[in-house]
């Protein structure tokens, strides 16, 4: 019995210290943080063209009647603010739509899985084609968004004219990835809901551009932590994407992959090795950190490369 009691007490302490904590709520049911976020979103709705799909999922639109349109699919923790400048540059030639995954950005109010993200993008494409039937849809996606972009290409091959993937998170650097013990801990904590953890342990891994680093750190819509449940399902989805990469050739959709030579987030060598033999994928490396567009010296080159790729297909 004493042994059983010790195990019970130890388990109780483990659960208590593992983040099973519900933050205080205000009278309207919101947490203090979500109240601030709601007020911020109310404010930015006055400044940006923020629209909703029929399932209440939001996106930011930069309208233009054009033969090509671009959907920007953001990073795991990013909001549309990270890619606003890129969207405005591309909007000189194309209609642009920035889509924040559920749980971050303008969709901070919505919960959902990777499967929901594929469905959401599908709905967005249907709306764009209905409102502008002569346009062709192209995808620009970064990091986690690029991983989901690959999943979308595999599952919905006929929906896109082309795809540009920046630093796709198919393999992470060791300093970012979790070790076996941590992954076992997540598998165990999965039974009861788990703790939360930072998405990226050090913001400096993203970029060496201090101005953009400040933008990241001050972004109130940024997703700073994910639950163990989210991590578990994310790893499962990643396994499925890796397993089905060979099916990308069947889509016949031209894909351009950009990698940063100074990337500290993803393992670029493993990504190159996995993608380089897929016939419809073209890989280009630039001397940048993880968020390629944030690099001052290569920003204009990156934009022109995106435009040239879209125009050539």
């Amino acid at each position: 019995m004493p042994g059983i009691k010790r195990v019970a007490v130890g388990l109780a302490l483990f659960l208590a210290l593992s983040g099973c904590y519900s933050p205080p709520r205000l009278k309207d049911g919101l947490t203090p943080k979500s109240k601030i976020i709601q007020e911020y979103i109310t404010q930015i709705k006055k400044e940006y063209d923020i629209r909703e799909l029929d399932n209440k999922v939001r996106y930011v639109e930069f309208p233009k009647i054009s033969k090509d349109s671009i959907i920007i699919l953001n990073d795991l923790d990013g909001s549309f603010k990270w890619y606003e400048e890129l969207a405005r540059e591309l909007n000189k030639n194309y209609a642009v739509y920035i889509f924040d995954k559920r749980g971050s950005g303008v969709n901070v109010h919505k919960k959902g899985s990777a499967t929901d993200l594929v469905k959401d993008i599908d709905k967005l494409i249907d709306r764009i084609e209905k409102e502008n039937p002569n346009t062709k849809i192209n995808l620009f996606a970064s990091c986690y968004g690029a991983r989901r972009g690959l999943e979308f290409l595999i599952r919905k091959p006929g929906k896109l004219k082309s795809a540009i993937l920046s630093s796709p998170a198919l393999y992470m650097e060791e300093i970012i990835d979790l070790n076996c013990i941590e992954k076992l801990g997540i598998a165990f904590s999965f039974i009861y809901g788990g703790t939360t953890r930072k998405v990226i342990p050090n913001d400096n891994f993203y970029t060496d551009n201090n101005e953009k680093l400040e933008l990241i750190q001050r972004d109130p819509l940024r997703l700073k932590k994910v639950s163990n449940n989210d991590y578990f399902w994310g790893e499962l989805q990643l396994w499925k994407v890796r397993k089905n990469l060979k099916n990308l050739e069947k889509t016949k959709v031209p894909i351009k992959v950009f990698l940063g030579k100074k990337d500290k987030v993803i393992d670029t060598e493993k990504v190159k090795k996995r993608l380089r033999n897929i016939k419809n994928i073209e890989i280009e490396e630039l001397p940048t950190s993880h968020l390629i567009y944030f690099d001052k010296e290569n920003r204009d080159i990156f934009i022109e490369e995106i435009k040239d790729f879209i125009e050539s297909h």
Side-chain angles (χ1 to χ4, degrees):
M1 286 298 290
I4 294 174
K5 286 182 180 179
R6 279 198 297 270
V7 171
V9 170
L11 183 59
L13 284 171
F14 179 76
L15 295 176
L17 295 173
S18 292
C20 298
Y21 163 72
S22 180
R25 296 189 172 271
L26 305 175
K27 290 181 179 179
D28 55 9
L30 297 171
T31 64
K33 181 181 177 181
S34 61
K35 184 79 171 179
I36 293 170
I37 290 172
Q38 189 178 71
E39 290 170 355
Y40 179 73
I41 289 178
T42 300
Q43 176 60 35
I44 62 175
K45 278 184 174 180
K46 300 174 185 177
E47 304 171 24
Y48 299 92
D49 190 356
I50 298 176
R51 302 181 63 189
E52 285 189 356
L53 298 172
D54 55 15
N55 58 358
K56 304 300 181 184
V57 170
R58 301 166 181 154
Y59 60 95
V60 185
E61 180 175 353
F62 297 83
K64 188 179 187 71
I65 300 299
S66 56
K67 66 182 181 68
D68 281 282
S69 297
I70 303 174
I71 295 174
I72 295 179
L73 190 54
N74 221 323
D75 304 68
L76 171 62
D77 51 336
S79 80
F80 79 95
K81 293 292 288 183
W82 296 23
Y83 282 94
E84 178 187 354
E85 195 175 329
L86 175 62
R88 293 194 185 280
E89 284 291 334
L90 294 173
N91 190 223
K92 294 175 183 177
N93 301 83
Y94 315 107
V96 182
Y97 308 82
I98 306 181
F99 191 89
D100 294 334
K101 68 173 285 294
R102 296 184 185 207
S104 67
V106 293
N107 286 316
V108 71
H109 64 298
K110 292 287 286 186
K111 292 183 179 180
S113 64
T115 302
D116 291 316
L117 182 59
V118 171
K119 292 177 181 177
D120 293 340
I121 297 299
D122 200 25
K123 282 177 177 287
L124 176 56
I125 290 174
D126 287 344
R127 172 174 286 185
I128 294 169
E129 290 178 335
K130 183 178 180 180
E131 295 179 350
N132 188 2
N134 296 318
T135 197
K136 300 295 183 183
I137 313 295
N138 305 270
L139 179 71
F140 173 89
S142 174
C143 190
Y144 176 91
R147 183 199 295 181
R148 294 297 167 238
L150 286 167
E151 182 179 5
F152 185 86
L153 281 161
I154 292 165
R155 293 178 57 182
K156 302 283 183 176
K159 287 283 190 172
L160 295 171
K161 173 192 168 187
S162 74
I164 299 104
L165 307 178
S166 177
S167 309
L170 287 173
Y171 296 93
M172 311 304 285
E173 284 285 5
E174 286 185 12
I175 197 168
I176 302 294
D177 204 4
L178 301 181
N179 60 43
C180 291
I181 294 174
E182 288 172 317
K183 288 180 179 179
L184 282 171
I186 286 175
F188 176 74
S189 70
F190 180 69
I191 357 176
Y192 62 84
T195 63
T196 58
R197 61 187 64 247
K198 281 195 74 173
V199 176
I200 299 294
N202 188 334
D203 290 337
N204 290 295
F205 291 170
Y206 280 129
T207 180
D208 51 15
N209 182 336
N210 290 329
E211 181 186 343
K212 296 301 183 184
L213 193 58
E214 187 176 350
L215 168 69
I216 289 171
Q217 292 170 338
R218 290 189 174 186
D219 184 4
L221 298 181
R222 178 186 179 189
L223 178 67
K224 293 184 178 179
K225 294 184 177 182
V226 295
S227 70
N228 281 346
N229 281 5
D230 289 337
Y231 183 88
F232 178 89
W233 289 113
E235 286 294 292
L236 184 60
Q237 289 297 124
L238 174 57
W239 175 78
K240 290 180 180 178
V241 170
R242 288 175 181 167
K243 181 183 175 184
N244 290 301
L245 283 174
K246 59 185 178 182
N247 293 326
L248 284 171
E249 279 189 19
K250 297 176 183 178
T251 70
K252 297 183 179 178
V253 175
I255 302 166
K256 181 73 174 271
V257 173
F258 288 97
L259 299 173
K261 291 181 180 179
K262 298 186 289 183
D263 198 322
K264 297 178 183 178
V265 177
I266 67 167
D267 189 327
T268 55
E269 290 304 314
K270 284 186 178 179
V271 173
K272 277 193 296 183
K273 185 177 180 180
R274 193 64 191 270
L275 298 180
R276 66 188 175 196
N277 293 322
I278 299 175
K279 293 179 182 178
N280 52 327
I281 291 183
E282 176 185 338
I283 299 174
E284 181 170 349
E285 289 186 276
L286 295 172
T288 70
S289 301
H290 181 65
L291 295 179
I292 296 174
Y293 176 67
F294 283 2
D295 188 90
K296 289 181 180 179
E297 294 181 3
N298 293 278
R299 170 184 174 277
D300 293 339
I301 295 172
F302 188 50
I303 293 171
E304 289 307 312
E305 291 277 3
I306 292 171
K307 290 179 182 178
D308 289 346
F309 186 73
I310 290 172
E311 295 299 326
S312 64
H313 294 92

